[in-house]
Amino acid sequence: MPPARRHVAWMGAALTEASAASRTGDVPVGAVVVSEAGEIVGTGHNQREELGDPTAHAEIIALRRAAAHLRSWRLTGCTLVVTLEPCLMCAGAALSARVERIVLGAWDEKAGATGSVWDVVRDKRANHWVEVIPGVRAGECGRVLTDFFAARR
């Protein structure tokens, strides 16, 4: 399957995770980590409200699960797929984990750190760089968030 089609399919798994977050009152962001072989090795959705943990972002949970599955903190060759552009903390975690690429749905114009507000993962001062592939199923990813916040108003 061509890379673009794989990204679309993987984003579907991340969107499924996002829906799990909204059921617990968390902002509906979902993430999956995909191995170099194309296997989903980690999944996560926002659980800050559910767990009372400020670090329980979808990306952090998915990265932790992938590291446990692969028995290594180095996620070399892996792809992080996330419905919303990672924040500074999550972009830093992906960078530290040596993720090869980040596939993202919607941009986060307020707190994004992979190209919108900051570009931590491609900063030439870092010892590793991450490829960023934006806009995969962006409309769907953005609608999930818009609908969530509209229901809260």
Side-chain angles (χ1 to χ4, degrees):
M1 185 181 312
R5 290 184 63 197
R6 285 193 312 239
H7 299 159
V8 168
W10 295 337
M11 189 60 76
L15 281 161
T16 298
E17 282 293 319
S19 68
S22 61
R23 287 194 295 269
T24 61
D26 277 285
V27 175
V29 176
V32 297
V33 176
V34 182
S35 73
E36 201 166 13
E39 173 191 7
I40 293 177
V41 293
T43 61
H45 57 272
N46 277 355
Q47 292 182 276
R48 292 187 313 170
E49 299 297 331
E50 182 181 7
L51 300 177
D53 179 354
T55 68
H57 288 206
E59 300 94 324
I60 300 297
I61 293 166
L63 290 167
R64 285 179 181 155
R65 289 178 176 165
H69 179 85
L70 297 173
R71 297 182 182 181
S72 176
W73 65 267
R74 288 180 183 89
L75 301 180
T76 308
C78 288
T79 300
L80 173 63
V81 181
V82 61
T83 58
L84 180 66
E85 180 186 10
C87 69
L88 194 55
M89 174 182 68
C90 295
L95 188 64
S96 293
R98 309 297 194 271
V99 166
E100 185 172 324
R101 81 186 50 78
I102 295 172
V103 174
L104 65 94
W107 288 107
D108 184 346
E109 300 296 335
K110 294 180 182 175
T114 63
S116 62
V117 179
W118 296 284
D119 198 356
V120 173
V121 298
R122 294 179 287 194
D123 189 311
K124 297 300 179 204
R125 296 168 290 187
N127 63 347
H128 174 73
W129 301 282
V130 179
E131 177 186 13
V132 176
I133 301 170
V136 176
R137 296 176 73 167
E140 283 177 82
C141 293
R143 259 189 313 283
V144 167
L145 292 160
T146 302
D147 292 349
F148 175 81
F149 288 112
R152 300 251 178 285
R153 291 187 188 113

